[in-house]
């Protein structure tokens, strides 16, 4: 059986555009085309292989819970997840996103896996959201735990907007309310959070979760599956 799903239309389109641009280079165009095809193809294949090897290692660790690859290849849910995730993995070099994709594929066949339609919805979210979106969602799902796990001192505040908690918990966004608003807007549109981050809140409100049930389910789908094993 072919180990790698077919290339996505998007990737083919990008390659075609690059080939067309190279073809306009005088004289050397043909040689450049060959070099591009070989080098880009090798780089894409190496990226896919590294991600699949990482996935295989995780499946091996959880073989008692999900079965071995021989069993999983026969499951439609796994193959749907693998095909979709592999296409997304081809389009990113971000380690955090690649880890999320790996986790999602394994979680697609765990006992608590969502139905296939919901899984496809979640993969679409993974494709569109950046690692910063995901980190913000994790922070908002349990602010006290976020600060404790990352060893960040909790801000001493008894009232204010939740954006202050985000700035303290994600220093890279400090003084960037414009970016915080954009990230939060995307999470709200996706139905993953349900609170305004700019309204005044009491201390209890500031440290309370802001995620929706769908947001909690999404986070469970992208979490390390080993965390679910007793």
């Amino acid at each position: 059986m072919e180990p790698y799903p077919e290339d996505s239309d998007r990737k083919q389109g990008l390659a075609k555009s690059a080939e067309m641009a190279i073809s306009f280079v005088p004289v050397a165009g043909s040689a450049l085309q060959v070099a591009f095809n070989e080098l880009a193809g090798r780089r894409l294949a190496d990226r896919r292989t590294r991600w699949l090897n990482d996935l295989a290692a995780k499946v091996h660790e959880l073989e008692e819970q999900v079965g071995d690859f021989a069993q999983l290849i026969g499951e439609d849910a796994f193959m749907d997840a693998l095909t979709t995730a592999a296409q997304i993995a081809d389009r990113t070099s971000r380690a955090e996103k690649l880890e999320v994709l790996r986790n999602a594929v394994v979680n697609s066949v765990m006992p608590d896996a969502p139905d296939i339609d919901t899984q496809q919805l979640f993969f679409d979210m993974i494709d569109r959201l950046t690692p910063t979106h995901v980190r913000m969602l994790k922070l908002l799902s349990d602010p006290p735990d976020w600060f404790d796990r990352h060893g960040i001192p909790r801000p001493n505040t008894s009232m204010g907007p939740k954006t202050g908690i985000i700035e303290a918990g994600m220093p890279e966004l400090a003084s960037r309310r414009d970016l915080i608003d954009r990230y939060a807007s995307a999470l709200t549109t996706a139905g993953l959070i349900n609170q305004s981050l700019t309204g005044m809140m009491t201390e209890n409100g500031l440290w309370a979760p802001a995620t929706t049930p769908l947001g909690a389910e999404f986070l469970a789908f992208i979490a390390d599956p080993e965390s679910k094993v007793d």
Side-chain angles (χ1 to χ4, degrees):
M1 178 177 293
E2 175 62 36
Y4 304 140
E6 294 181 356
D7 292 339
S8 67
D9 292 340
R10 181 176 178 181
K11 187 177 73 178
Q12 291 176 350
L14 288 172
K16 187 65 176 179
S17 297
E19 289 174 357
M20 290 176 64
I22 291 173
S23 69
F24 285 101
V25 179
V27 182
S30 178
L32 284 174
Q33 283 179 315
V34 172
F36 171 82
N37 289 338
E38 290 182 353
L39 294 174
R42 189 180 309 131
R43 182 69 181 271
L44 289 169
D46 288 345
R47 176 182 288 184
R48 177 77 65 86
T49 298
R50 286 194 299 271
W51 181 76
L52 286 173
N53 286 341
D54 188 39
L55 173 62
K58 181 62 66 173
V59 168
H60 179 69
E61 292 172 3
L62 296 167
E63 194 169 303
E64 291 185 7
Q65 287 74 35
V66 300
D68 59 24
F69 262 120
Q71 295 172 283
L72 292 174
I73 293 301
E75 296 192 24
D76 289 337
F78 180 81
M79 289 305 298
D80 288 350
L82 176 60
T83 302
T84 302
Q87 291 173 349
I88 300 171
D90 282 347
R91 300 195 291 269
T92 185
S93 61
R94 304 292 299 277
E96 291 171 272
K97 179 166 278 194
L98 292 171
E99 181 180 344
V100 162
L101 287 166
R102 178 206 67 191
N103 293 344
V105 172
V106 179
N107 284 326
S108 73
V109 287
M110 292 289 278
D112 62 346
D115 63 78
I116 292 179
D117 284 349
T118 302
Q119 291 186 29
Q120 290 300 306
L121 175 67
F122 287 163
F123 276 115
D124 182 61
M125 291 180 182
I126 294 170
D127 194 15
R128 290 185 289 110
L129 299 177
T130 68
T132 299
H133 284 107
V134 174
R135 289 197 297 273
M136 183 179 291
L137 183 63
K138 290 179 178 179
L139 185 160
L140 292 172
S141 72
D142 190 345
D145 180 68
W146 174 272
F147 281 82
D148 293 345
R149 282 191 297 107
H150 291 84
I152 302 173
R154 299 187 192 183
N156 184 19
T157 179
S158 59
M159 183 173 291
K162 211 150 195 165
T163 50
I165 296 296
I166 293 173
E167 288 188 74
M170 300 177 68
E172 68 272 22
L173 294 180
S175 301
R176 291 304 307 269
R177 295 290 179 92
D178 55 337
L179 288 180
I180 291 174
D181 289 344
R182 293 296 294 270
Y183 289 124
S185 176
L187 295 175
T188 301
T189 299
L192 302 177
I193 63 174
N194 62 358
Q195 281 186 4
S196 169
L197 304 183
T198 57
M200 294 296 291
M201 294 183 179
T202 64
E203 184 174 7
N204 287 339
L206 288 173
W207 295 100
T211 45
T212 63
L214 183 66
E217 189 176 4
F218 175 72
L219 287 175
F221 187 63
I222 65 173
D224 190 329
E226 287 192 82
S227 66
K228 304 176 182 181
V229 179
D230 294 331

